[in-house]
Amino acid sequence: MTSPERNLALTLAYDGTAYAGFQRQANAVTIQALLEEALGGLAGEAVVVHAAGRTDAGVHARGQVVSFRTRWPIPADRVPHACAGALPQDIVVLRCLEVPVDFHARYRATGKTYSYLLDNRPFPSPFLARYAWHVPDPLDAGAMAAAAAPLIGKHDLSSFRAAGGAPGHAVRELTRAEVRPKDGLLVCIFSADGFLYHMVRNIVGLLVEAGRGKFTPADVTELLRSKDRTAAPATAPARGLCLEAVDYGPFLDTHGAVY
């Protein structure tokens, strides 16, 4: 007897260093491709996963969420254990929940939180080379936090939108933009109802220049008004970026890791 179709949501953590991003691509190794292959082999059927966010090459995650339909009869709480032996060590299923059939990891998301790690010590740590952008010249964390403040709220963020992303309007509501210094490191944390292509990396590029004394809060306000990407500093490298958590409001608690 065929098992009924169900909808499962997975919370994932992964080191994105070795991959060409999350989304499946021709002639490239991606997280989606490996995850679908592993799940399909375990379930004995073709599996297509839908992610809350398509992280780019080199970007990491602690709280990525994916959903997929399946007739695999395994109890949801056993899925992480089954996946542990079928996935590479740098991709881990942290949690699995059975969700309503109309749940979709991307379209049901009401917000996301990203972090970006800066190593601001004179010499880089070899243990952080895959996970932080090393900026050796001293940065003023207070100036960076002040420059981030005008970004809070609902704005047209065209000045922080890279070419090549999905079309559509650039209005997003940023509810959190923090800079936390600790032991020579700077953790930048951003929460919003949605993110544009390279948005966090472009904001971090600006904050680093603010930390060097080259951008003030007034400059940021003017940059927002201009909607001109060419007036903003360069994009920060991918390796410091991590998807921390996806928010589904009261609908679903994915237990994403949040600073």
Side-chain angles (χ1 to χ4, degrees):
M1 181 176 175
T2 304
S3 299
E5 188 177 63
R6 21 183 344 218
N7 197 15
L8 299 180
L10 308 181
T11 302
L12 308 177
Y14 50 80
D15 178 337
T17 305
Y19 304 106
F22 180 88
Q23 187 176 8
R24 179 183 286 275
Q25 301 176 37
N27 303 315
V29 180
T30 69
I31 293 154
Q32 181 181 10
L34 292 176
L35 182 61
E36 289 176 346
E37 181 181 345
L39 290 170
L42 292 167
E45 62 184 14
V47 169
V48 177
V49 302
H50 303 282
R54 298 169 179 174
T55 52
D56 294 332
V59 175
H60 316 293
R62 289 190 182 91
Q64 170 73 282
V65 178
V66 305
S67 58
F68 66 100
R69 302 283 188 91
T70 182
R71 295 187 183 277
W72 189 17
I74 186 173
D77 63 356
R78 297 303 304 168
V79 172
H81 300 279
C83 290
L87 287 168
Q89 291 184 338
D90 51 7
I91 305 173
V92 177
V93 176
L94 301 175
R95 191 179 186 217
C96 177
L97 295 174
E98 189 148 2
V99 292
V101 292
D102 64 344
F103 176 82
H104 190 287
R106 178 182 176 191
Y107 298 126
R108 281 296 189 106
T110 58
K112 300 184 185 75
T113 296
Y114 283 89
S115 70
Y116 194 97
L117 184 60
L118 293 159
D119 185 350
N120 195 215
R121 295 169 291 197
F123 301 100
S125 166
F127 306 108
L128 293 178
R130 295 160 65 122
Y131 311 110
W133 177 19
H134 179 237
V135 181
D137 44 315
L139 299 176
D140 184 335
M144 294 171 69
L151 300 173
I152 297 293
K154 184 175 287 189
H155 303 285
D156 184 318
L157 294 164
S158 296
S159 294
F160 301 99
R161 179 184 198 167
H169 71 83
V171 176
R172 299 291 186 273
E173 184 172 9
L174 203 65
T175 57
R176 187 179 183 189
E178 300 179 10
V179 179
R180 296 185 180 181
K182 183 179 180 181
D183 300 329
L185 304 177
L186 295 168
V187 183
C188 304
I189 308 165
F190 306 93
S191 297
D193 58 358
F195 288 85
L196 303 167
Y197 187 47
H198 288 180
M199 175 176 150
V200 173
R201 291 167 57 192
N202 290 336
I203 290 174
V204 171
L206 169 74
L207 297 185
V208 166
E209 293 306 303
R212 290 169 169 154
K214 296 180 180 179
F215 273 83
T216 68
D219 295 327
V220 177
T221 299
E222 175 57 26
L223 188 60
L224 285 169
R225 187 203 62 76
S226 74
K227 303 175 188 176
D228 181 4
R229 172 66 197 134
T230 64
T235 306
R239 62 182 175 274
L241 185 60
C242 183
L243 174 56
E244 293 289 344
V246 184
D247 184 15
Y248 294 95
F251 179 78
L252 179 68
D253 176 10
T254 60
H255 286 194
V258 183
Y259 279 96

